[in-house]
């Protein structure tokens, strides 16, 4: 369990939530393992399969405390709220800002600033950890180039210019990505990002990781009351979660890319875990997909200290923390949206 920004996250899969006076009780195997006062909560996010008592649900509805139900793996199930005035105001503000070009640009700049910053420090981490196995000078030069693009991004005058800087930074970053593949180089090579369909094993893994991460972010946005389909950078299209596509940018490197590199370098997946079709598309076999998902869930349980909040949390809660911070910015509680700067 974890309380974060007035939200209670119940991450244990086999606990039952009840009510005792003005407190939430968390019960595991018929034993109360935790209590949380209701008076300072805005919402409850439960990853449990066992549910919640009708008394607690009624109490939360009467006090306008939202309850969000997710599967233990983080897939969104449902959201229960009482009077919807708070979420209506938040979404109304989101829709208003989505039509304001200057504010959209400001938010988008922070998304992309976080993206390039995190890519830079992923390169730096490999330089420090494997100084004898990577081309240090080449990667340091790329890192400095990404720093230059961060300054350019902050001075972007319009969305097209921002996208141009982002695209140029991605060329630099992905030109060094293959150097971070330390083991199994014969089977796991990377010559550039490709998708729909992926044309090599690494791109197949990246696409799968980004899909899982996008699902987690969509659930996080739903949880805090934001509309995942109304974005500030990615254009709105039917069926596309544009805001989730916005928010994923800063989390690709520290969550998705780092996880994929870890699977390869630790030899948790192998060359024969993939199917190569006649059209040269490459897909992960079913058994390897299960391994991928299992390791993904383990990774989400590992802890870090959030760079902005200064609080310890699991990696699985990072999308939720960023969604909460974005909601607070939209409400006017923060002067600007704070990107996730991982180091």
């Amino acid at each position: 369990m974890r309380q974060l920004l007035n939200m209670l996250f119940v991450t244990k899969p086999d606990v039952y939530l009840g009510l005792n006076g003005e407190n939430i009780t968390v019960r595991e195997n018929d034993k109360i393992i935790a209590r949380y006062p209701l008076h300072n909560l805005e919402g409850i996010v439960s990853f449990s399969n066992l549910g919640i008592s009708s008394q607690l649900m009624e109490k939360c509805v009467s006090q306008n405390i939202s309850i969000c139900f997710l599967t233990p793996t983080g897939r969104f199930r449902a959201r229960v709220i009482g009077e919807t005035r708070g979420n209506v105001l938040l979404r109304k503000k989101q829709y208003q800002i989505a039509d304001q070009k200057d504010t959209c640009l400001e938010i988008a700049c922070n998304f992309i600033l976080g993206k390039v910053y995190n890519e830079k420090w992923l390169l730096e981490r490999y330089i420090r950890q494997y100084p004898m196995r990577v081309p240090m000078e080449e990667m340091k030069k790329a890192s400095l180039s990404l720093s230059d693009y961060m300054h350019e991004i902050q001075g972007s005058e319009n969305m097209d210019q921002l996208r141009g800087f982002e695209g140029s930074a991605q060329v630099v970053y992905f030109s060094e990505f293959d150097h971070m593949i330390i083991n199994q180089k014969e089977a796991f090579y990377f010559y550039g990002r490709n998708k729909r369909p992926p044309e090599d094993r690494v791109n197949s893994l990246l696409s799968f990781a980004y899909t899982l991460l996008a699902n987690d972010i969509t659930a996080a946005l739903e949880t805090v009351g934001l509309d995942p389909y109304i974005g500030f950078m990615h254009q709105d299209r039917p069926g596309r979660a544009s805001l989730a596509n916005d928010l994923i940018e800063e989390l690709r490197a520290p969550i998705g890319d780092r996880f994929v590199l870890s699977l390869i370098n630790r030899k948790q997946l192998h060359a024969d875990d993939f199917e190569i079709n006649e059209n040269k598309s490459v897909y992960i076999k079913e058994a390897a997909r299960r391994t991928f998902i299992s390791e993904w869930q383990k990774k989400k349980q590992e802890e870090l200290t959030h760079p902005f909040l200064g609080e310890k949390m699991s990696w699985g809660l990072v999308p939720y923390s960023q969604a909460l911070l974005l909601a607070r910015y939209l409400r006017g509680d923060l002067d600007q949206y704070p990107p996730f700067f991982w180091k």
Side-chain angles (χ1 to χ4, degrees):
M1 280 72 69
R2 177 73 183 168
Q3 189 169 336
L4 176 67
L5 295 175
N6 296 330
M7 296 284 287
L8 176 63
F9 291 87
V10 182
T11 54
K12 282 180 171 286
D14 298 313
V15 297
Y16 182 76
L17 303 185
L19 180 68
N20 186 332
E22 296 296 318
N23 297 292
I24 297 171
T25 59
V26 183
R27 187 178 295 271
E28 184 176 36
N29 297 326
D30 294 326
K31 180 181 178 181
I32 294 177
I33 61 172
R35 296 176 185 268
Y36 296 91
L38 277 167
H39 69 271
N40 61 350
L41 286 181
E42 295 178 2
I44 302 169
V45 180
S46 176
F47 292 78
S48 174
N49 282 320
L50 298 187
I52 183 172
S53 73
S54 58
Q55 293 87 354
L56 176 57
M57 189 175 294
E58 181 182 7
K59 187 77 168 179
C60 289
V61 166
S62 68
Q63 295 189 12
N64 199 33
I65 298 172
S66 67
I67 307 170
C68 187
F69 297 96
L70 293 90
T71 66
T73 59
R75 181 171 56 83
F76 181 78
R77 281 173 167 164
R79 191 162 182 264
V80 178
I81 55 176
E83 295 183 46
T84 58
R85 59 182 182 273
N87 294 311
V88 165
L89 291 176
L90 175 59
R91 291 204 176 197
K92 186 176 180 180
K93 186 68 175 178
Q94 179 186 357
Y95 301 149
Q96 289 173 344
I97 289 178
D99 290 328
Q100 299 172 6
K101 290 184 178 180
D102 289 345
T103 309
C104 282
L105 178 61
E106 178 185 337
I107 300 172
C109 281
N110 281 352
F111 289 146
I112 302 306
L113 188 64
K115 177 180 185 177
V116 176
Y117 178 96
N118 291 330
E119 290 172 344
K120 169 186 170 64
W121 283 107
L122 184 56
L123 294 181
E124 291 284 349
R125 176 164 290 207
Y126 271 77
I127 291 171
R128 292 196 304 270
Q129 290 182 342
Y130 304 100
M132 305 302 292
R133 302 186 67 180
V134 301
M136 288 182 59
E137 294 305 317
E138 179 183 333
M139 292 179 70
K140 284 181 178 180
K141 184 177 179 180
S143 176
L144 290 173
S145 182
L146 291 178
S147 294
D148 292 338
Y149 279 118
M150 288 170 61
H151 291 297
E152 299 284 6
I153 287 165
Q154 289 176 299
S156 297
E157 297 179 358
N158 54 59
M159 202 68 78
D160 287 339
Q161 192 177 63
L162 173 62
R163 291 191 180 100
F165 292 140
E166 178 196 14
S168 298
Q170 294 319 284
V171 172
V172 172
Y173 170 67
F174 280 125
S175 70
E176 303 302 316
F177 197 88
D178 189 66
H179 298 314
M180 294 187 285
I181 301 172
I182 305 299
N183 295 317
Q184 306 188 87
K185 297 285 287 187
E186 299 81 6
F188 293 93
Y189 49 82
F190 184 87
Y191 300 140
R193 184 76 178 108
N194 55 68
K195 47 190 174 180
R196 301 189 191 96
E199 298 173 5
D200 57 63
R201 295 177 179 88
V202 178
N203 273 290
S204 181
L205 291 172
L206 288 174
S207 292
F208 191 37
Y210 295 161
T211 297
L212 295 179
L213 182 55
N215 289 337
D216 288 346
I217 292 170
T218 300
L221 293 168
E222 290 274 12
T223 297
V224 303
L226 289 168
D227 188 336
Y229 294 89
I230 304 296
F232 303 118
M233 180 175 178
H234 289 85
Q235 294 181 347
D236 299 333
R237 291 179 186 171
R240 181 166 82 171
S242 296
L243 186 56
N245 287 343
D246 288 349
L247 200 58
I248 196 177
E249 298 295 359
E250 64 196 271
L251 301 181
R252 288 183 191 272
I255 297 181
D257 297 357
R258 195 161 62 103
F259 177 74
V260 166
L261 290 167
S262 176
L263 282 182
I264 297 170
N265 291 332
R266 292 181 180 179
K267 301 181 181 181
Q268 293 172 291
L269 292 179
H270 306 90
D272 58 2
D273 286 323
F274 298 81
E275 178 182 339
I276 302 176
N277 297 325
E278 291 182 0
N279 65 352
K280 297 184 179 180
S281 60
V282 180
Y283 295 99
I284 312 169
K285 292 181 180 178
E286 183 62 30
R289 193 179 292 264
R290 290 196 296 269
T291 298
F292 190 110
I293 294 173
S294 175
E295 293 302 318
W296 179 266
Q297 293 305 124
K298 290 177 184 177
K299 181 63 180 178
K300 286 165 64 174
Q301 299 304 313
E302 294 180 9
E303 286 198 337
L304 76 155
T305 300
H306 192 282
F308 179 79
L309 299 171
E311 295 187 30
K312 282 191 175 181
M313 67 180 67
S314 67
W315 275 100
L317 291 186
V318 170
Y320 295 88
S321 69
Q322 295 309 117
L324 283 166
L325 290 170
L326 180 58
R328 290 205 161 192
Y329 164 74
L330 296 178
R331 288 192 181 106
D333 297 333
L334 296 172
D335 293 335
Q336 62 177 340
Y337 167 73
F340 180 78
F341 287 142
W342 169 76
K343 187 175 179 180

